[in-house]
Amino acid sequence: MPLALLALSVVAFAIGTTEFVSMGLLPQIADGVGVSVPQAGNLISAYALGVVVGAPLLTGLGAKIPHKKLLLLLAGLFVVGNVASALAPGFGTLFAARVLAGLPHGALFGVVAVVASRLVAPERAARAVSTMFLGLTVANIVGVPAGTALGQQFGWRSAYLAVAVIGLIALAALARLVPHQPRAEGAGIRHELKAMGNRHIAIGLATAVVGFGGCFAVYSYLVPMLTEVTGMASSSTTLVLALYGVGMTLGTLLAGPMTDRALRPTLYGGLAVMAVVLFAFYFAVQHTVTALVCVLLIGAMGSFITTPVQMLLMAKAEQAPTMAAASNHSAFNLANAGGAWLGGLVISAGWGWASPALVGASLAAAGLGLAVVGGVMDGGFGRGKRSTVVAGAGAKAGVKDEAEVQAAGVERAG
């Protein structure tokens, strides 16, 4: 794997840290800006709003800019958003700063995924993308716990400043290590939007929103579930979140080679196992050991499905995969918001702290159903290790081997 993937992983690490570190610092932030903890929780939604809006907007505006230059511009905006978050004097300005910090998130991931896939041979594209995603999973093991500890010790502003410093390191690494990748002739916002206008992209994004929403229905309430139901001490929850990050890393490591080998079966299997594990967690959360095992598995399956969904959308978008790759992260943040909302709904209805696990299992099962519908739309459920995926460039080239389809879709894209 090229050294440039390290620079891309640092970007993912910075994004993953700033996205989730606020969750562990809500009491400190609430005290610092004079609002309640539930009000401070809206800052998480503010970041997600920035991602959802920024992914298509910034990707479209940068459609003609060479990938490396666009990466540098987006990383610079990311640094500015986190510095603004650290310096915000009140809740209103902090809310706006978190929206600003979230704006480049989806576009960055979209461009990074396309760049990563082109740094290697086509048959290793999914492994390259999953290697980049390792930065996101390591952020949950190291970045988020460290940022939380830093913010608790030196004030919540220090956590955002630390993320800004990581962003500057990522900016330098991108400038030094990532090669120039020119845009294709005719690239532009119309080209990107045209590639997005097909039903295969729509069903892929719907799969991400619904299926990944199952993971977030539980993750959003994981700490109170473990303290209220399992009986764990609140001081140990940071280690549990790190365990979740370990699971994410394991899932990402498995997803790359498996997606290169058989894309749709990997997606089906990940969603099916996630549904089973989330359902089991409803009962397993009563005991510490079984609860921790499920936390590890939920983290693994949540990250496991990210790579096949990302690669599927990039292949479906034919010659303009950047918008599809970026929109995938808008979908994940909609999943975050929707899963958290549905999980909170059942808790408020009196179903108990463990009830989000049942919501999550239902969403994962529904996501599996959507993925299967997408497979049928491609002309088959997706049989065997080398199942046929009639997608994008692969379909036009008459390619029948799934690995060749992905290779053609990514190689000919943009």
Side-chain angles (χ1 to χ4, degrees):
M1 290 291 179
L3 190 59
L5 283 175
L6 176 62
L8 303 180
S9 296
V10 175
V11 174
F13 178 85
I15 292 174
T17 301
T18 200
E19 181 178 16
F20 296 112
V21 75
S22 299
M23 296 178 182
L25 294 173
L26 289 182
Q28 289 78 14
I29 294 173
D31 289 340
V33 295
V35 297
S36 66
V37 172
Q39 284 179 297
N42 290 326
L43 296 173
I44 298 171
S45 300
Y47 185 90
L49 175 64
V51 178
V52 173
V53 173
L57 177 64
L58 296 183
T59 302
L61 291 175
K64 291 188 176 182
I65 301 175
H67 279 138
K68 181 174 181 177
K69 184 177 180 180
L70 183 57
L71 281 175
L72 295 175
L73 291 172
L74 292 172
L77 181 59
F78 174 84
V79 171
V80 170
N82 281 281
V83 170
S85 298
L87 301 179
F91 179 76
T93 50
L94 180 56
F95 187 95
R98 294 316 291 161
V99 173
L100 179 63
L103 282 175
H105 175 126
L108 261 173
F109 264 127
V111 178
V112 161
V114 173
V115 170
S117 70
R118 293 174 181 171
L119 291 173
V120 298
E123 66 272 11
R124 294 178 62 85
R127 269 168 280 195
V129 172
S130 66
T131 298
M132 175 273 295
F133 276 130
L134 282 176
L136 180 61
T137 67
V138 172
N140 282 271
I141 302 173
V142 179
V144 175
T148 300
L150 183 70
Q152 291 172 345
Q153 185 69 29
F154 298 103
W156 59 270
R157 297 179 188 275
S158 64
Y160 292 133
L161 282 176
V163 171
V165 171
I166 298 171
L168 287 173
I169 294 172
L171 193 60
L174 291 172
R176 178 70 179 84
L177 299 175
V178 174
H180 175 68
Q181 290 186 358
R183 292 281 192 168
E185 184 179 347
I189 186 169
R190 290 184 179 179
H191 187 60
E192 293 280 351
L193 291 175
K194 182 179 179 181
M196 290 286 292
N198 68 70
R199 59 180 184 171
H200 298 288
I201 293 292
I203 198 72
L205 291 174
T207 300
V209 172
V210 177
F212 212 77
C215 180
F216 277 112
V218 170
Y219 184 77
S220 301
Y221 302 96
L222 187 58
V223 170
M225 288 170 74
L226 293 172
T227 55
E228 298 294 332
V229 182
T230 313
M232 297 181 64
S234 57
S235 58
S236 63
T237 55
T238 299
L239 294 176
V240 175
L241 293 177
L243 178 66
Y244 185 92
V246 170
M248 291 181 66
T249 302
L250 295 175
T252 301
L253 287 171
L254 288 171
M258 291 182 69
T259 302
D260 276 328
R261 185 175 178 84
L263 193 156
R264 281 204 178 273
T266 299
L267 178 58
Y268 298 152
L271 288 167
V273 174
M274 180 187 286
V276 172
V277 172
L278 289 171
F279 180 75
F281 188 55
Y282 178 77
F283 305 96
V285 74
Q286 302 290 336
H287 306 284
T288 302
V289 174
T290 53
L292 293 179
V293 170
C294 282
V295 167
L296 181 73
L297 292 174
I298 293 169
M301 289 302 102
S303 64
F304 184 85
I305 65 173
T306 303
T307 299
V309 170
Q310 187 84 84
M311 297 305 296
L312 181 64
L313 290 172
M314 288 165 63
K316 295 298 183 185
E318 301 185 24
Q319 297 184 17
T322 310
M323 182 72 78
S327 297
N328 189 32
H329 295 279
S330 291
F332 283 155
N333 276 269
L334 288 173
N336 188 346
W341 177 71
L342 290 173
L345 203 63
V346 293
I347 292 173
S348 299
W351 288 20
W353 282 106
S355 59
L358 297 179
V359 173
S362 300
L363 289 173
L368 174 59
L370 287 170
V372 170
V373 169
V376 172
M377 287 167 54
D378 276 338
F381 174 77
R383 300 173 297 277
K385 295 180 179 179
R386 295 283 187 179
S387 58
T388 301
V389 177
V390 184
K396 292 184 177 181
V399 179
K400 297 300 181 184
D401 181 275
E402 182 175 72
E404 292 177 15
V405 172
Q406 296 171 56
V410 174
E411 187 179 34
R412 292 181 55 182

